[in-house]
């Protein structure tokens, strides 16, 4: 069934990826609610399947897809009526946001408060577990070892904490650490107002002078691989390096090699490239590493809220309303003008 919304026929196609079982609950909730409101919903498991559906491509107006789905200029050229891309997650690494913006396509995602706060809390958890050598201390009890002659734990108070990126997650991390007696600095790509407790610094300065470096940047063409070996070597020998956003920003093997050279260094990683982490990755053998499988910040609260936000975003763009979570707000004015053209 096709429902008439603001005098425009709207067809919505929702795309899920093969093997992404976690996407099913997002799809099912959105599917049921969209159909309840009279929208037509179709599902394609792969990009290949979607490209093969020539008739569907011509009528497609809204595309909901997992963040790793490749939505690029090639795809946009085949979908002349496309006006919105929606990711159920915060990440949109598969979406060419610049190309979408150039084509007047609005991009929405799951920038929910529960997600940014969960990730911020996880970053603080990683930082403290690394500074206090939590796993190493556990080992003394579990293996019934004698107490070490010298403690290894270090306080967070008095340290300089550098954030690379200052979006919602970076801001939430800084807000939580602002009462910990630390000096907070952040490397940002564009000038923006900063809270009084955070100083903006260059990437080189953040890397060279911070006791704790927390990766809080999104993965995009500009950030992919930006921390190469030369950049990483600028960090202090005993730095704590935390990454809870995306693995493609830092090459895994490069980080592993540096951490192997510097036993006083601590790394805590929840993300890798590729994922899952390779079985033969040198990261797995490092005693100074905490590794989790891209889930340390996935909480009950965020997982309950994300499917609702995905559905809300889809319903909003279907009804020509600006959704709450927009990745490319500069396109909004152009996007709204599309509604006027569609009604003619």
């Amino acid at each position: 069934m096709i429902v008439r919304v603001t005098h425009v026929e709207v067809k919505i196609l929702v795309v899920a990826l093969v093997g992404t079982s976690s996407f099913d609950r997002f799809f099912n909730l959105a599917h049921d609610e969209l159909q309840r409101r009279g929208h037509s919903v179709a599902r394609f498991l792969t990009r290949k399947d979607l490209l093969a559906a020539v008739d569907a491509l011509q009528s497609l107006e809204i595309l909901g897809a997992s963040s790793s789905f490749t939505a690029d200029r090639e795809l946009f050229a085949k979908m002349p009526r496309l006006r919105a891309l929606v990711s159920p997650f915060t990440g949109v690494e598969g979406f060419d946001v610049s190309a979408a913006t150039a084509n007047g396509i609005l991009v929405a995602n799951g920038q929910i408060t529960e997600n940014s706060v969960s990730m911020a809390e996880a970053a603080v958890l990683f930082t403290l577990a690394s500074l206090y050598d939590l796993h190493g201390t556990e080992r003394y009890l579990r293996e019934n070892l004698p107490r070490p002659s010298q403690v290894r734990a270090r306080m967070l108070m008095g340290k300089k904490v550098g954030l690379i990126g200052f979006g919602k997650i970076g801001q939430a991390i800084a807000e939580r650490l602002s009462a910990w007696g630390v000096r907070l600095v952040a490397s940002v790509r564009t000038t923006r107002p900063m809270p009084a407790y955070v100083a903006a610094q260059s990437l080189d300065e953040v890397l060279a002078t911070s006791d704790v470096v927390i990766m809080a940047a999104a993965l995009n063409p500009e950030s992919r691989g930006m921390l190469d070996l030369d950049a990483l070597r600028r960090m202090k020998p005993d730095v704590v390096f935390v990454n809870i956003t995306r693995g493609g920003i830092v090459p895994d093997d490069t980080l592993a090699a540096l951490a192997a050279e510097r036993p006083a260094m601590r790394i805590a990683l929840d993300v890798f490239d590729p994922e899952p982490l390779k079985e033969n990755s040198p990261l797995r053998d490092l005693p100074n590493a905490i590794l989790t499988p891209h889930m340390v910040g996935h909480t009950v609260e965020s997982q309950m809220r994300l499917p609702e936000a995905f559905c809300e975003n889809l319903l909003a763009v279907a009804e020509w309303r600006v959704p709450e979570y927009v990745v490319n707000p500069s396109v909004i004015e152009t996007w709204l003008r599309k509604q006027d053209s569609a009604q003619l």
Side-chain angles (χ1 to χ4, degrees):
M1 180 186 299
I2 296 178
V3 66
R4 187 169 295 278
V5 179
T6 61
H7 308 294
V8 180
E9 288 186 345
V10 177
K11 178 177 284 187
I12 299 173
L13 306 182
V14 179
V15 180
L17 301 180
V18 170
T20 313
S21 58
S22 61
F23 192 84
D24 287 345
R25 58 200 178 89
F26 293 90
F27 173 81
N28 292 336
L29 177 63
H31 176 274
D32 292 348
E33 184 61 23
L34 289 164
Q35 282 205 330
R36 188 183 72 80
R37 299 194 184 198
H39 296 293
S40 176
V41 184
R43 189 178 190 184
F44 299 91
L45 294 180
T46 68
R47 189 174 190 272
K48 182 179 179 181
D49 292 340
L50 177 61
L51 289 173
V54 178
D55 290 342
L57 290 173
Q58 292 299 309
S59 60
L60 172 64
E61 294 195 43
I62 300 168
L63 176 63
S66 182
S67 55
S68 59
F69 180 85
T70 301
D72 53 13
R73 293 179 187 275
E74 176 192 356
L75 190 64
F76 300 156
K78 297 177 184 296
M79 298 185 295
R81 298 183 65 188
L82 182 69
R83 55 186 171 88
L85 280 168
V86 183
S87 165
F89 311 114
T90 301
V92 290
E93 61 270 20
F95 299 175
D96 187 335
V97 178
S98 295
T101 303
N103 283 274
I105 299 168
L106 185 144
V107 181
N109 68 347
Q111 302 175 55
I112 57 170
T113 299
E114 292 86 348
N115 184 70
S116 57
V117 171
S118 293
M119 297 309 298
E121 290 181 354
V124 175
L125 166 71
F126 265 178
T127 299
L128 291 171
S130 299
L131 283 170
Y132 278 81
D133 189 28
L134 178 62
H135 291 336
T137 303
E138 274 189 310
R139 179 171 168 265
Y140 285 102
L141 185 143
R142 293 184 182 279
E143 299 181 18
N144 200 29
L145 301 173
R147 284 175 175 265
S149 58
Q150 186 173 356
V151 297
R152 300 178 63 186
R154 290 181 287 160
M155 295 178 68
L156 179 56
M157 186 178 70
K159 300 296 188 293
K160 180 177 179 179
V161 178
L163 300 168
I164 300 177
F166 202 63
K168 288 193 174 183
I169 293 176
Q171 293 169 36
I173 294 170
E175 182 180 352
R176 275 141 192 82
L177 291 180
S178 62
W180 281 73
V182 301
R183 181 185 173 197
L184 285 162
V185 297
S187 167
V188 295
R189 287 184 173 272
T190 56
T191 303
R192 68 179 71 182
M194 304 290 283
Y197 49 82
V198 182
Q201 290 188 343
S202 68
L203 176 60
D204 284 349
E205 191 171 2
V206 168
L207 291 171
T209 63
S210 298
D211 301 295
V212 178
V213 174
I214 301 177
M215 178 58 64
L219 180 62
N220 52 47
E222 291 74 30
S223 65
R224 181 174 288 279
M226 74 175 182
L227 294 190
D228 58 14
L229 184 58
D230 287 342
L232 293 171
R233 284 194 185 281
R234 298 188 186 105
M235 296 191 297
K236 293 182 176 182
D238 61 350
V239 71
V240 170
F241 180 84
V242 173
N243 190 357
I244 44 85
T245 50
R246 286 293 186 267
I249 300 172
V250 188
D252 292 351
D253 291 351
T254 301
L255 185 58
L258 184 65
E261 290 177 9
R262 300 178 173 184
M265 182 180 179
R266 296 286 178 268
I267 60 176
L269 311 174
D270 185 52
V271 288
F272 311 94
D273 186 29
E275 290 185 352
L277 180 64
K278 297 180 293 186
E279 291 187 12
N280 62 347
S281 170
L283 287 170
R284 294 181 181 270
D285 298 324
L286 293 173
N288 52 344
I290 297 173
L291 310 174
T292 55
H294 201 155
M295 62 178 290
V296 70
H298 295 179
T299 60
V300 170
E301 292 83 358
S302 65
Q303 295 300 293
M304 288 177 62
R305 176 67 185 123
L306 278 171
E308 296 174 352
F310 178 55
C311 186
E312 290 164 5
N313 282 341
L314 285 168
L315 289 171
V317 294
E319 297 166 4
W320 285 106
R321 291 182 288 109
V322 177
E324 185 173 357
Y325 309 109
V326 180
V327 178
N328 55 344
S330 64
V331 83
I332 290 175
E333 186 176 346
T334 302
W335 186 77
L336 289 173
R337 283 202 297 267
K338 280 191 171 186
Q339 177 185 11
D340 299 332
S341 299
Q343 290 177 337
L344 296 178

